[in-house]
Amino acid sequence: MTINQVLTTDYHTGGEPFRIVPEPPVAIEGATVAERRMLAIGSPEVDNLRKLLCFEPRGHADMYGGFITPPDNEGAHFGVLFWHKDGFSTACGHGSIALAVWAVQTGRVARDPSGITAVVIDVPSGRVTLRVHTAGEQITGVDFVNVPSYRLAERVTVATSCGDIAVDVAYGGAIYAHLDAASVGLAVTPEHYSDLIAIGREVKWALNDSKHARHPVDDRLSGIYGTILYNDLGIDENGNPHQRNVTVFADGQVDRSPCGSGTCSRVAVLAATGDLKPGQILVHDSIVGTRFHARIVAELAADGYPAVVAEVTGKAYRTGEHRFELNPADDLGTGFVLR
């Protein structure tokens, strides 16, 4: 693989990294972002670029990023192909929030003088809209309005090393299993980090090829992307549900943020159980103490299921710019992952 240089701009959203590649130095074929994802999975050139930017020594096992692509049509500002340690994902809410901030800060999307700038992005799971809130030159927050989210299965029994456990399965741009961490004797805290990863991986792989992990209309979106382990923290002073979660996605990666698309799937589950109603806010904390707020902005039917459109509000910050290189003589090549 010959790459002279790759320029990136890096952000974090709620503590979770996102590495943006505005001009990927390899061709990413396809007519739509969804098609590009499938072709990228089978492309050594695109996959090697992913590894170069994600693997050590340039990245790490929990790195995340995206290649900017053309949109599916003129209705969006641009497209993005999301990637992580294990491949290419169908959705990424924290990445979408970072992309919206990047788009406004770089002038790719002109800042609206009203103080609310819409950024529309095509992602593999569909089209998402973000609203960037500004006060003067300062970005004060970003609303992520996702594709419709819905619960696929309720109280599915999974055999694990902790015994039989019950999980809900829900779609929020990607499919997640939802597990009450207390039911396996865990709290969503850094002290339980390794055990949370272990049970999260168990649940994912136990369900990944099951009927519960099938997307009802697009098999490209099938499979359990991650396990959301949550603690119910009760009701806050404003009468809103308050939870803390950690999302263990791909093969053992840990989202440091409260997880954007995962929060949408959490909204879908809580809406289905009646624990989150229109007008309420889900206060959603991460394992490192960062926070998203989420709410239901619409109720509808999608793909044959009762569904909601969730809006997740968070913040993203630029952490730096990079000029990466690959020396042809480097015997480590695109790198390695040590975990």
Side-chain angles (χ1 to χ4, degrees):
M1 181 182 187
T2 302
I3 293 179
N4 293 325
Q5 64 179 16
V6 186
L7 303 179
T8 75
T9 304
D10 286 21
Y11 282 75
H12 85 84
T13 307
E16 179 72 358
F18 194 75
R19 178 162 286 166
I20 300 170
V21 187
E23 297 181 5
V26 300
I28 303 176
E29 304 292 343
T32 66
V33 176
E35 188 176 305
R36 288 187 182 96
R37 174 177 175 263
M38 299 309 296
L39 293 172
I41 289 170
S43 167
E45 292 79 12
V46 180
D47 200 48
N48 281 334
L49 180 61
R50 172 188 67 85
K51 292 175 182 176
L52 179 77
L53 298 174
C54 189
F55 286 9
E56 300 177 57
R58 299 167 189 85
H60 51 81
D62 295 288
M63 193 67 211
Y64 217 121
F67 302 136
I68 301 301
T69 75
D72 293 355
N73 56 50
E74 66 277 3
H77 292 105
F78 54 90
V80 60
L81 181 62
F82 297 119
W83 47 260
H84 50 71
K85 173 177 69 69
D86 297 298
F88 300 93
S89 58
T90 62
C92 180
H94 92 272
S96 297
I97 290 172
L99 285 164
V101 174
W102 166 79
V104 170
Q105 287 181 332
T106 60
R108 190 179 188 109
V109 176
R111 188 183 302 242
D112 194 304
S114 71
I116 302 176
T117 303
V119 179
V120 183
I121 308 174
D122 283 330
V123 308
S125 57
R127 178 163 289 172
V128 299
T129 298
L130 298 105
R131 293 190 297 269
V132 180
H133 295 260
T134 55
E137 295 300 309
Q138 184 73 26
I139 293 176
T140 58
V142 179
D143 303 325
F144 165 59
V145 183
N146 199 10
V147 299
S149 303
Y150 44 84
R151 185 174 65 181
L152 285 164
E154 180 183 6
R155 304 291 295 174
V156 177
T157 300
V158 182
T160 72
S161 59
C162 298
D164 287 351
I165 60 175
V167 303
D168 290 332
V169 179
Y171 173 74
I175 298 175
Y176 296 88
H178 296 247
L179 173 62
D180 184 346
S183 71
V184 290
L186 296 175
V188 180
T189 62
E191 292 76 19
H192 291 101
Y193 181 77
S194 296
D195 292 333
L196 292 163
I197 294 173
I199 191 64
R201 292 179 75 191
E202 272 195 72
V203 170
K204 172 193 167 79
W205 294 119
L207 286 175
N208 192 60
D209 294 322
S210 73
K211 64 180 181 180
H212 306 296
R214 298 302 94 194
H215 189 275
V217 299
D218 188 347
D219 201 50
R220 296 175 300 183
L221 303 175
S222 293
I224 300 292
Y225 178 54
T227 304
I228 298 174
L229 297 109
Y230 66 90
N231 287 147
D232 189 343
L233 304 180
I235 303 298
D236 73 2
E237 64 275 10
N238 297 312
N240 294 311
H242 184 192
Q243 298 193 349
R244 182 170 57 242
N245 92 100
V246 63
T247 300
V248 181
F249 66 94
D251 190 19
Q253 287 188 243
V254 173
D255 197 327
R256 273 72 175 152
S257 81
C259 187
S261 58
T263 295
C264 294
S265 73
R266 193 85 201 108
V267 168
V269 170
L270 294 173
T273 60
D275 293 311
L276 180 68
K277 298 178 175 62
Q280 289 185 301
I281 301 292
L282 170 62
V283 182
H284 215 209
D285 293 345
S286 75
I287 192 170
V288 300
T290 53
R291 177 172 290 178
F292 288 163
H293 291 96
R295 66 188 183 100
I296 299 167
V297 295
E299 297 176 295
L300 68 168
D303 302 331
Y305 288 84
V308 297
V309 174
E311 175 190 279
V312 177
T313 300
K315 296 180 180 181
Y317 300 92
R318 186 170 56 195
T319 59
E321 296 180 345
H322 295 89
R323 186 188 304 270
F324 290 106
E325 300 175 358
L326 176 59
N327 188 323
D330 186 347
D331 56 8
L332 285 178
T334 55
F336 59 93
V337 176
L338 183 63
R339 169 175 281 167

